[in-house]
Amino acid sequence: MQQSPASQAHLITAGLAFGESPRWHDGRLWLCNWGTGEIIAVDAEGNREVVLTVPAVLPYSIDWLPDGRLLVVSGREGLLLRQEADGSLVTHADLRGLSKSPWNEIVVDGRGNIYVNGGGPAPAPGQHFGPGTIALVTPDGSVRQVAENIAFANGMAVSPDNKTLIIAESHASLLTAFDIAADGTLSNRRVWAELDGYPDGICLDAEGAVWYADVPNKHCVRACEGGEVLQTVTIDRGCFACMLGGTDRQTLFIVAAEWRGFEHMVSEDRTGQVLSAEAPAPGVGWP
C-alpha cells in the first residue's frame, strides 16, 4: 500500500454491541446495533436514541424510500420490512424466493430502486458464506436477481447520477462496479479498484473517491478508481462501515468494534464505537 495522509479519529460514542449500516439522515447518524435489534440515531455530541427495535438480531441494515419511509433488511428472515407512519413494520418485499441464505446490505438509489445483497447459494461445508448476489426491488414491487458470484457482498453505493453501483467484495479484496440501466438492471461488471485489504462498508465522495472500512486492518481508507490510496484513518479495533455526514457531509463517521470471529459476533461485550474524522470532500450519491 502506498503511503498516504493519515487522519485522527475522535470518539463520538461507545458501549455499542456491534454497529453496522451507518446512514446520515435528518441531521443524525443512524446505525444498526447488531445483537440487540436496535436501530440507533446519534447526534454530533454523542447523544444517542433508540429509534426502533426490530425483530432481527443480525444481519440487518437500513435505508429510506424517496418518500421518507424507513426500510429494514431482516437478513436471516429474508424479508425487506417497511416502517409505516404509525410506526408499525410491514413486509415491503419477500426475498426468500431468490435465496434462503441470509441477506446483508441495502442501498436505495435516487429513482427508488432498492438493491439488497447477500443471499446466494448455500455455503460449502465448513464455510460461513456462499457466493453472494444482488437483488433488485423496483418501485412497482417486483423482485429479481441482477448480479451473482459476489465474493462476500458487503457495502454498496450508487453514484449521484444513478448510473453506477459499486459493491465491496470483501473476500476478493475488490471494489466492483456495474452500470445501472433505466430499469435498474446491472451490466458491464468491472473491477473498480483492487485493494490491499478487505472492504466492508463503503461510501462515495464528491471527488469520485470511495471510502471503505476494513475490519482486519483496523482502518478506513479513501481510494480512487484504480486503487490508489489517498488517505487512511487508523484506529484500535475493526472498522466495519463508514459514512460521510455532518452539516456539510464532510465528516467521516466510522462504526467499529473488536472482532473475535463470526462465532462471537453476538456477546455481552460492548466494544462497539462511533468515531469521526475530517474528510477532504463531501459525501454524494446513495446511501
Side-chain angles (χ1 to χ4, degrees):
M1 180 181 291
Q2 297 182 24
Q3 293 296 312
S4 60
S7 298
Q8 182 70 35
H10 305 280
L11 181 66
I12 300 294
T13 192
L16 299 172
F18 196 99
E20 261 286 8
S21 191
R23 304 286 187 259
W24 185 257
H25 180 73
D26 281 350
R28 293 189 292 177
L29 186 77
W30 293 51
L31 58 98
C32 298
N33 193 21
W34 283 11
T36 69
E38 297 170 346
I39 295 170
I40 292 174
V42 184
D43 67 17
E45 286 72 44
N47 303 305
R48 65 187 194 228
E49 174 191 2
V50 177
V51 291
L52 181 65
T53 300
V54 299
V57 179
L58 63 90
Y60 58 104
S61 56
I62 56 172
D63 208 348
W64 284 263
L65 288 167
D67 64 12
R69 286 179 294 175
L70 176 68
L71 296 173
V72 183
V73 177
S74 184
R76 293 191 180 278
E77 292 69 36
L79 298 175
L80 179 59
L81 306 176
R82 182 183 72 242
Q83 187 180 35
E84 298 293 71
D86 63 1
S88 63
L89 288 172
V90 300
T91 297
H92 186 81
D94 190 332
L95 304 173
R96 292 173 293 185
L98 295 180
S99 173
K100 300 297 190 291
S101 296
W103 295 85
N104 190 20
E105 266 288 359
I106 181 175
V107 63
V108 182
D109 73 10
R111 296 177 291 197
N113 287 317
I114 303 163
Y115 296 93
V116 182
N117 69 36
Q127 300 294 312
H128 289 286
F129 302 97
T133 62
I134 303 176
L136 166 67
V137 183
T138 59
D140 66 7
S142 67
V143 180
R144 67 181 189 274
Q145 181 177 302
V146 288
E148 61 183 354
N149 293 323
I150 308 292
F152 190 37
N154 243 315
M156 291 185 293
V158 174
S159 61
D161 61 6
N162 293 302
K163 292 182 178 179
T164 305
L165 181 145
I166 299 174
I167 183 169
E169 295 197 68
S170 298
H171 288 176
S173 299
L174 293 177
L175 296 176
T176 297
F178 295 87
D179 292 341
I180 304 175
D183 66 355
T185 300
L186 303 181
S187 64
N188 188 27
R189 179 176 182 165
R190 59 198 181 275
V191 173
W192 193 87
E194 295 183 359
L195 307 174
D196 181 17
Y198 305 92
D200 199 321
I202 67 172
C203 58
L204 295 169
D205 74 21
E207 294 179 357
V210 168
W211 281 98
Y212 70 87
D214 186 323
V215 177
N217 289 307
K218 300 180 181 179
H219 61 200
C220 286
V221 176
R222 181 175 182 249
C224 62
E225 186 170 6
E228 180 186 353
V229 173
L230 303 173
Q231 191 171 345
T232 59
V233 181
T234 300
I235 63 171
D236 65 352
R237 62 200 65 199
C239 298
F240 287 84
C242 52
M243 180 57 48
L244 288 160
T247 53
D248 55 3
R249 287 202 69 183
Q250 211 160 331
T251 299
L252 182 75
F253 292 97
I254 302 166
V255 290
E258 293 180 7
W259 175 245
R260 300 185 180 94
F262 290 107
E263 298 85 355
H264 306 288
M265 288 179 70
V266 178
S267 75
E268 294 304 312
D269 295 327
R270 294 292 185 258
T271 67
Q273 297 180 344
V274 177
L275 305 102
S276 70
E278 295 182 6
V284 294
W286 290 269

